[in-house]
Amino acid sequence: MRELTYGEAVNAALHRVMEELPETLVYGEDVAVPGGVFGVTRGLRGRYGERVFDTPISESAILGSAVGAAMFGRRPIVEIMWADFSLVALDQIVNQAANVRYVSGGRLAAPLTIRTQQGNAPGACAQHSQSLEALFLHVPGLRVCMPSTPQDAYDLLVTAVHCDDPVLVIENRTLYFGPKEPVETGGAVRPVGGARTRRDGSDVTIVTWGAMTHRVLDAAGRLAGEGIEAQVLETPWLNPFDLDAVLAGVSRTGRLAVVHEANVTGGFGAEVVARVTEAGAPLLAPPIRIGTPDVRIPAAPVLAGALVPDAARIAAEVRGLVKG
């Protein structure tokens, strides 16, 4: 057990896979000599030499070279500094990486890990604040996960690198420098997939992921003070998605709320609601989605903070769901 911040846990995971998998490479913009814009890759260049290197500012080149390297025996771990910037390389991710196994008839794979971070932070503005997980969840062949704790940041990244499919690991910069927590390093590689109950309750099931998990837990604590017991079900893996865990929770509580930072329209919350209703879950009330309104994120922190769901808004909307 080690006491690590979220960012330090990512760093520890990178050290582990670089040591145990000699075919790994780490590269991207400013990840080697500077140690990453958030300091997450510090110390890797000094320890592993040319296996860690900086690239030009070209997301398409980063992802394109990584797909080719993965097809021929390497396990690249590439960093896209902001998830917004991955849009420049959509062809390499969607048409190439996610298709390798299929178009080769299973003869080739693309064991490629894409690390990025997303979400609003003070002053982020519209081009550095989008939550884009739903876009990538529309792509068959691409695994997607969103860690919310230092332990998850470590475990999910190690799992992603060992996976023989392309995996998108979406981190959150507001978590990098959070409090240190006990993190179990080493041990067996965790399987892909799964969900977990972060708080149990009998009145409503709240499904969430990523950094929003912390706000949902805060909201659940406030609701408990009013006599409303909410189950908080976190789904760190979004593809594959643990629908069975959601259905088990909803079958007990009869109510469902899905909370994410992404815009409501087209967000993955709509997919979760659709799957639950299609499965015929016994619902006492229509499910609700809580997310950011369909607007761009302004630069002013006060305005941005008014848009992204906080604990007070989450509690208010869940309260309305439970009390009808």
Side-chain angles (χ1 to χ4, degrees), residues 3 16 38 48 66 137:
E3 293 285 329
R16 171 179 170 173
F38 301 107
Y48 305 105
L137 289 165

Side-chain angles (χ1 to χ4, degrees), residues 273-306:
V273 168
R275 293 186 191 186
V276 169
T277 54
E278 286 175 350
L283 293 168
L284 300 173
I288 63 172
R289 296 170 292 152
I290 304 172
T292 300
D294 298 337
V295 298
R296 309 306 296 187
I297 296 295
V302 172
L303 295 178

Side-chain angles (χ1 to χ4, degrees), residues 186-199:
V189 177
R190 306 292 177 90
V192 171
R196 66 167 178 268
T197 297
R198 295 291 300 273
R199 182 187 180 110

